[in-house]
Amino acid sequence: MSNKVVMPKMGESIVEGTIIEWKKSVGDFVAKDEILLEISTDKVDSEIPSPFEGNLIEVLFKKNDTVEVGTVIALIGEEDETDSGDSLESAKIDQESHSADKSSDASEPVFDDGDSDKDVEIKRSPTKKTSRFYSPLVKKMAKEEGISLSELESISGSGIKGRVNKRNLLRYIEDKNKDSSPDLEKNPDKTDKNALKSSFKETRKMDHVRKVIAKHMVNSLKTSPHVYSSVEVDMTDIVASVRSNKDIFLEKYGNKLTYTPIFLEACIDSLQKFPLINSSLINDDICYHKNINIGLAVALPDNNLIVPVIHNAEEKNFLGLLRSASDLAVKAKSGSLSVDAVQGSTFTLTNPGVFGSLFGMGIINQPNVAILSTGSIEKKAMVKETEFGDGVFIRSSMFLTLGYDHRIIDGAYGSKFLVSIKEYLESFSLAKEI
């Protein structure tokens, strides 16, 4: 009898994963705990070991398919074992016990947005009961394509008991699109997308990570009304100190000295003074976090972004922060971060200045309520007060920009927090850290 491999749950908040690559082909022998496939979630990419030993009999989802947690994705069994019928449907046949009790308008499909990976019985109305089972994948596709319940019920299915599977729905959508080509004369506002694409040099599909980032950013803007405040920081002493101590840190501790741990220390000090910045708004409750978990935005070689987290940052000394930040950056760029390493942030630090940006206006990383952006460090003429009067001096300057959730943080509180960081940086001494 074949064993069912399901999409694993990679973290508390993970509800689906996208298949990046199958490491084994149908017919190959797979040892238990041998890497079977690689998946990508909205947090991190992971290699998934096989929970069983045997031959890979059937692969139920292909590369780039996004699958709900708990859904059967492959069958592993004996070498001479074969699977008959519609594989996806037969693999899920034991999941049909869950059915929906709610009725709906006959013109709209009913979809379960919960965590269940079981099939749902769909009913047209309380008076006229017509039921049919649809897999979560079919329901999701139908919803995305705007296919109504009546349309869904009209599709002939080739699965077990005449059920509609993915192939049936894709064929229906393809035929429907062929029959509904746009009439530009009757609809002058409609654009011929194919003609538009032909004018481009190149088009590429957004990869899974980019789609997840886009979704999170849009959701964050919908959730939190963003407000921004900026201050200018005199970084002259810090620049000189970092420059003169780089070799000392590398020789003594084996780590390259950067500005990041200095920014982290400033954030930790100010977050302890202004705890509302280190909170989350859940429903109508302001939840203050016991620990400071700082997310560090890291740019990846493929131009995507990931935010690994330094957990319990308030417990670390300067060297600990330096090593933690360096370790997370290396793992992020090599794709070896664990799921836990990208979860649980309470505040986020991003550094667009490293790429030459004068300042940045970051989007809040939910469920945080604030994000700090550090700009590039530039030399400029600055007016300074001296005992002999005002003077113009060449100084190293940097802009800090705080984005914060205006639902619970007002300009006064956000600005005070930002000024606290400025004062910490302008009085910082590296001597005590060596």
Side-chain angles (χ1 to χ4, degrees), residues 26-310:
V26 173
D28 288 351
F29 177 80
V30 186
K32 186 177 181 180
D33 296 328
E34 184 179 5
I35 301 302
L36 179 61
L37 75 158
E38 185 177 359
I39 66 171
S40 175
T41 69
D42 62 354
K43 299 292 184 182
V44 72
D45 296 348
S46 301
E47 291 184 328
I48 306 302
S50 173
F52 310 108
E53 179 177 287
N55 287 80
L56 183 58
I57 298 173
E58 187 78 28
V59 169
L60 305 179
F61 294 91
K62 63 181 185 299
K63 179 179 177 180
N64 295 326
D65 280 349
T66 299
V67 187
E68 293 181 7
V69 166
T71 302
V72 178
I73 58 175
L75 303 176
I76 293 178
E78 299 298 328
E79 184 175 4
D80 59 350
E81 190 173 355
T82 59
D83 185 62
S84 60
D86 186 281
S87 300
L88 178 58
E89 303 298 332
S90 61
K92 292 184 178 180
I93 194 69
D94 59 344
Q95 300 179 11
E96 295 181 354
S97 58
H98 180 70
S99 61
D101 295 325
K102 297 180 180 180
S103 61
S104 67
D105 188 274
S107 63
E108 294 293 331
V110 178
F111 297 98
D112 182 8
D113 292 328
D115 293 331
S116 174
D117 60 354
K118 300 174 183 177
D119 292 334
V120 178
E121 182 182 6
I122 300 179
K123 299 178 180 179
R124 291 183 71 107
S125 67
T127 56
K128 184 180 179 181
K129 292 186 178 181
T130 58
S131 60
R132 198 174 184 185
F133 288 107
Y134 300 98
S135 71
L137 180 62
V138 167
K139 290 183 290 177
K140 182 179 179 181
M141 290 172 60
K143 183 177 181 181
E144 290 174 350
E145 295 293 333
I147 295 175
S148 66
L149 176 60
S150 58
E151 280 187 278
L152 205 55
E153 291 187 335
S154 69
I155 301 173
S156 298
S158 61
I160 292 177
K161 298 180 181 179
R163 292 170 62 190
V164 175
N165 58 31
K166 177 183 176 181
R167 290 188 297 275
N168 302 143
L169 187 55
L170 284 174
R171 191 177 300 113
Y172 176 81
I173 293 170
E174 183 180 354
D175 293 341
K176 183 179 178 182
N177 289 338
K178 287 180 181 178
D179 295 336
S180 59
S181 57
D183 186 342
L184 296 182
E185 292 183 0
K186 295 180 180 179
N187 302 282
D189 292 334
K190 290 189 176 181
T191 303
D192 188 335
K193 293 183 179 180
N194 291 329
L196 184 60
K197 283 185 177 180
S198 66
S199 67
F200 297 144
K201 178 181 176 181
E202 182 182 12
T203 60
R204 291 183 182 178
K205 290 283 188 183
M206 290 174 67
D207 60 32
H208 173 70
V209 175
R210 197 72 250 167
K211 287 180 180 178
V212 169
I213 292 172
K215 181 179 179 182
H216 283 186
M217 295 302 95
V218 170
N219 287 342
S220 182
L221 288 173
K222 289 180 179 178
T223 300
S224 302
H226 285 54
V227 176
Y228 294 92
S229 297
S230 292
V231 294
E232 188 174 14
V233 182
D234 186 343
M235 294 286 291
T236 306
D237 292 343
I238 288 179
V239 169
S241 188
V242 169
R243 186 177 297 147
S244 61
N245 286 283
K246 274 188 175 182
D247 293 339
I248 295 175
F249 266 79
L250 190 60
E251 181 179 347
K252 189 173 181 179
Y253 304 115
N255 285 92
K256 179 181 177 182
L257 178 61
T258 66
Y259 297 108
T260 301
I262 302 175
F263 296 148
L264 288 170
E265 271 206 346
C267 289
I268 293 166
D269 179 78
S270 296
L271 286 167
Q272 290 172 327
K273 296 175 182 175
F274 296 88
L276 186 59
I277 305 292
N278 193 53
S279 69
S280 293
L281 183 59
I282 302 176
N283 297 323
D284 292 328
D285 297 322
I286 300 174
C287 303
Y288 293 84
H289 296 288
K290 290 185 290 186
N291 298 106
I292 297 174
N293 302 331
I294 301 183
L296 288 175
V298 177
L300 301 178
D302 60 0
N303 296 320
N304 283 318
L305 185 76
I306 196 167
V307 186
V309 182
I310 299 178

